[in-house]
Amino acid sequence: MIYYFSTTGNSLALAQKLAAALGDGVCSVTRTKEKNLEGPAVGLVFPVYYGDVPANVQEFVRSHAFPEDAYVYALATCGSTWGRTFRTLQQLLGEKGCRLAWSRAVPLIANSTICMKSHIGYDLKKLDKEDAVVREAVEAVKNRKEDHSQEQDSLLAQFSATWLGRKIGNWYLDVQVAPDRCVRCGECVRLCPMDNIHLGEKSAVIGDHCLHCLACLHGCPHQAITVRGRVVLKEDQYRHPGVTVQELER
């Protein structure tokens, strides 16, 4: 089984291609009911946040039992750098009595670019590398290869974990609801992986445990989710072209 976390589709598309090539199944970490994972091989596919494993994926690893002697591998999608993602994942798995055997970072399209510029013009040709990565991963899994070359530390991730780093990150990725644009359609509620958004009397309301994944920002059909108070353009919202919005809903 391949367990994935995805908010704008990069990781889901990669997980689906990998599952098809391996003949495996895929399951979202937000939908997994069983606490005991099964299978001789367990794959994890997720995006990099702040140069590290997203908080909810870390919690998924901590709260689930991995099969004894399972071959565990991971793919992490990112905009450029993967920071200390695989070192963190190795440590988390070690606490569960297992280990990360093989890992690879996959630089695709960053969904956080929307926080700093408009008229982005996403280069979808970056997605062409998916097939090569899938072939490499399939070969690794079938042959039970070992590769720890991308398990490294990261000053950026270390800083992001500090009080100041978190404060800057929370400010930079600060999403809010523009009540005058919100029609209470509920799409942001369905997309939020943390169940952190609900519909108020006049508009959607964002709670206080935001993952800063930007699923709501990119998925709002009315551009009613703002970043630092700025309304984003519809043309700057991103979703992987091979993934539907329904597949991304929690």
Side-chain angles (χ1 to χ4, degrees):
M1 183 67 75
I2 298 170
Y3 299 92
Y4 72 89
F5 169 57
S6 189
T7 57
T8 48
N10 288 341
S11 295
L12 174 54
L14 202 61
Q16 289 175 331
K17 288 186 176 183
L18 183 57
L22 288 170
D24 286 350
V26 295
C27 187
S28 169
V29 300
T30 64
R31 300 176 192 152
T32 304
K33 303 298 184 183
E34 298 295 330
K35 289 297 184 180
N36 295 316
L37 308 185
E38 298 180 352
V42 175
L44 299 169
V45 184
F46 54 87
V48 174
Y49 286 177
Y50 300 108
D52 215 334
V53 182
N56 66 329
V57 177
Q58 292 192 36
E59 179 56 30
F60 175 84
V61 175
R62 291 191 185 99
S63 60
H64 287 74
F66 284 72
E68 186 177 355
D69 299 324
Y71 178 82
V72 183
Y73 63 97
L75 291 175
T77 60
C78 57
S80 55
T81 179
W82 60 95
R84 66 181 182 190
T85 295
F86 299 123
R87 175 170 287 191
T88 295
L89 186 56
Q90 186 71 272
Q91 293 171 343
L92 291 170
L93 289 169
E95 295 169 2
K96 305 294 293 184
C98 55
R99 56 191 289 274
L100 179 64
W102 185 92
S103 55
R104 191 68 77 239
V106 191
L108 294 174
I109 293 176
N111 72 359
S112 59
T113 308
I114 198 171
C115 296
M116 63 181 174
K117 63 183 295 188
S118 301
H119 307 291
I120 298 169
Y122 295 105
D123 182 9
L124 297 183
K125 290 183 178 179
K126 290 182 177 181
L127 304 178
D128 292 344
K129 69 185 72 172
E130 291 174 344
D131 291 340
V133 172
V134 167
R135 287 194 296 270
E136 183 183 13
V138 168
E139 181 183 4
V141 175
K142 287 184 175 180
N143 294 290
R144 296 299 191 260
K145 289 187 174 181
E146 294 268 339
D147 190 330
H148 305 278
S149 61
Q150 294 191 343
E151 294 177 20
Q152 61 187 29
D153 209 344
S154 166
L155 292 176
L156 172 61
Q158 289 180 26
F159 173 74
S160 296
T162 65
W163 176 85
L164 179 59
R166 288 194 298 269
K167 190 173 183 64
I168 293 175
N170 292 343
W171 167 80
Y172 181 69
L173 300 173
D174 181 34
V175 290
Q176 302 171 358
V177 178
D180 60 324
R181 299 181 68 92
C182 180
V183 300
R184 300 179 73 254
C185 68
E187 187 57 48
C188 58
V189 176
R190 293 186 289 272
L191 285 170
C192 179
M194 302 298 287
D195 195 20
N196 187 47
I197 305 177
H198 70 274
L199 294 181
E201 292 185 5
K202 297 182 179 179
S203 67
V205 178
I206 299 177
D208 58 3
H209 54 283
C210 181
L211 188 63
H212 302 291
C213 69
L214 305 183
C216 59
L217 182 68
H218 285 278
C220 178
H222 303 282
Q223 295 76 53
I225 307 294
T226 65
V227 57
R228 302 192 304 279
R230 176 174 62 83
V231 174
V232 303
L233 301 176
K234 181 177 182 179
E235 66 187 70
D236 290 332
Q237 291 175 303
Y238 172 75
R239 186 176 74 246
H240 189 288
V243 172
T244 67
V245 66
Q246 288 76 22
E247 289 177 297
L248 293 172
E249 291 175 351
R250 179 174 53 82

